[in-house]
Amino acid sequence: MDNLAPGTSVRVRAMRPPGHVRTPGYLRGRIGIVERALGPFPNPEQLAYGHAAARLPLYRVRFRMGDLWPSTETPDDTLDAEIYAHWLEPL
Amino acid sequence: MPHDHHDHLSPSGHPYRPDQDTGLTDWQVMEIAIRELMIEKEIVTAAEVQNQIDAMDARSPAQGAALVARAWTDPAFRDRLLTDGSAACAEMGFDVGPMRLIAVENTDSIHNVVVCTLCSCYPRNLLGLPPDWYKSRAYRSRTVREPRRVLSEFGLDLPADVTVRVHDSTADMRYIVVPARPEGTSGMDEAALAALVTRDSMIGVGIAKAG
């Protein structure tokens, strides 16, 4: 997951870990496309508790509204969010 | 008749608001305790705390508007802004600290809008303090679910052939929307153009309008 090129299809892992995470619930399990790689950033799941934080690749992932909300009237509108590498699995 | 007696109006005609006579929350108590301890141990002074609050309150959307006006008038700067927002801010002489900025541009076919579903991430250096509605649960939850309806409530009805791109500011990036330059502004200089760039147009819930 360290080198996902723009355009790569990814699924957000449907994990439910306890504590501070910055992957919104509504995106877990959803499929999107890497829009761009942002570089390494300290893992907020460790940072939030004052632990030494590993630096993880962060990606902007673009989702189709139709894939997030099947009943939407505008399925081709998009939603972009920043997701850390350990939450993504390439498809 | 503003001075009529009414249950919901004060004698001066303003809506009645109850005094905040409830106790402090745990978080407020903790903030006061830590602040007092830090002052007592001479780590900070009360004046420094107040100066920082003043500096935060003094921020306005002026720097964001200046950035947009420069992008409208200088195509090479616009390209640099869209490639690396933080570097473009530095080039303008704006101190954005460690903020990583992504600028997204509205065009004839794309409209961008920014939200932070998890909290209230916002480019405060460029836009000042976020408005209360930006932090509300309604804006945060509805903008990712039904953005066009939310925009419509802000008075912005977008045609079907415009794609809406919502940006959920979930992690380390902060976002600014570069609104489309209004028609009929070709003779205006950068300062006059900056005056057309509203806070809401840089969040994406509004557009820039000529006059």
Side-chain angles (χ1 to χ4, degrees):
Chain A
M1 260 53 64
D2 285 357
N3 192 16
L4 299 175
T8 307
S9 276
V10 289
R11 188 197 313 270
V12 181
R13 293 182 190 279
M15 306 188 285
R16 299 238 164 243
H20 179 86
V21 298
R22 296 207 65 87
T23 304
Y26 73 94
L27 295 177
R28 297 185 198 173
R30 304 296 186 174
I31 291 171
I33 294 203
V34 172
E35 190 262 346
R36 71 179 92 167
L38 297 165
F41 285 89
N43 182 357
E45 295 164 26
Q46 296 164 314
L47 209 57
Y49 301 99
H51 298 157
R55 288 170 73 79
L56 297 173
L58 181 64
Y59 296 97
R60 259 165 66 78
V61 181
R62 177 163 294 167
F63 303 86
R64 277 179 77 250
M65 283 294 192
D67 292 334
L68 298 180
W69 319 109
S71 64
T72 183
E73 289 165 14
T74 51
D76 292 327
D77 286 345
T78 64
L79 181 128
D80 293 8
E82 299 149 44
I83 312 281
Y84 293 89
H86 65 305
W87 278 89
L88 297 175
E89 51 178 330
L91 297 176
Chain B
M1 294 282 286
H3 292 279
D4 281 351
H5 288 291
H6 190 283
D7 285 349
H8 303 292
L9 296 180
S10 74
S12 59
H14 295 121
Y16 171 76
R17 292 185 69 172
D19 287 329
Q20 294 174 318
D21 287 336
T22 52
L24 297 171
T25 65
D26 289 352
W27 299 107
Q28 288 172 315
V29 171
M30 205 183 301
E31 183 274 322
I32 292 166
I34 290 171
R35 173 160 43 87
E36 289 182 350
L37 274 170
M38 288 180 77
I39 291 168
E40 212 171 286
K41 291 177 182 294
E42 299 183 347
I43 296 166
V44 295
T45 66
E48 285 170 343
V49 173
Q50 190 56 44
N51 287 343
Q52 187 59 36
I53 292 170
D54 288 347
M56 290 167 82
D57 282 350
R59 286 182 194 153
S60 77
Q63 292 193 343
L67 211 57
V68 171
R70 175 70 57 89
W72 283 350
T73 52
D74 181 344
F77 180 80
R78 168 218 171 250
D79 293 347
R80 293 198 294 279
L81 175 65
L82 297 180
T83 306
D84 185 340
S86 305
C89 289
E91 193 183 318
M92 294 282 286
F94 300 153
D95 177 14
V96 294
M99 180 177 78
R100 289 283 303 267
L101 184 75
I102 290 182
V104 288
E105 184 185 46
N106 288 348
T107 65
D108 290 344
S109 57
I110 290 172
H111 182 89
N112 296 281
V113 57
V114 182
V115 61
C116 173
T117 51
L118 298 176
C119 46
S120 58
C121 294
Y122 190 79
R124 294 172 184 226
N125 303 63
L126 297 176
L127 299 189
L129 293 176
D132 283 346
W133 54 257
Y134 185 83
K135 300 181 275 186
S136 70
R137 279 188 194 276
Y139 180 77
R140 288 157 50 206
S141 56
R142 292 184 55 218
T143 301
V144 298
R145 177 70 182 84
E146 46 180 19
R148 286 176 189 261
R149 196 159 296 176
V150 172
L151 294 177
S152 174
E153 289 169 21
F154 277 95
L156 190 56
D157 288 300
L158 295 168
D161 62 352
V162 171
T163 300
V164 173
R165 292 209 191 294
V166 180
H167 301 272
D168 190 354
S169 190
T170 48
D172 293 274
M173 302 295 127
R174 298 294 176 268
Y175 295 88
I176 186 170
V177 175
V178 179
R181 179 170 173 168
E183 299 286 333
T185 58
S186 54
M188 294 172 73
D189 67 11
E190 237 178 275
L193 287 169
L196 308 179
V197 184
T198 60
R199 176 197 69 194
D200 286 4
S201 73
M202 293 182 281
I203 301 173
V205 297
I207 56 173
K209 294 174 189 157

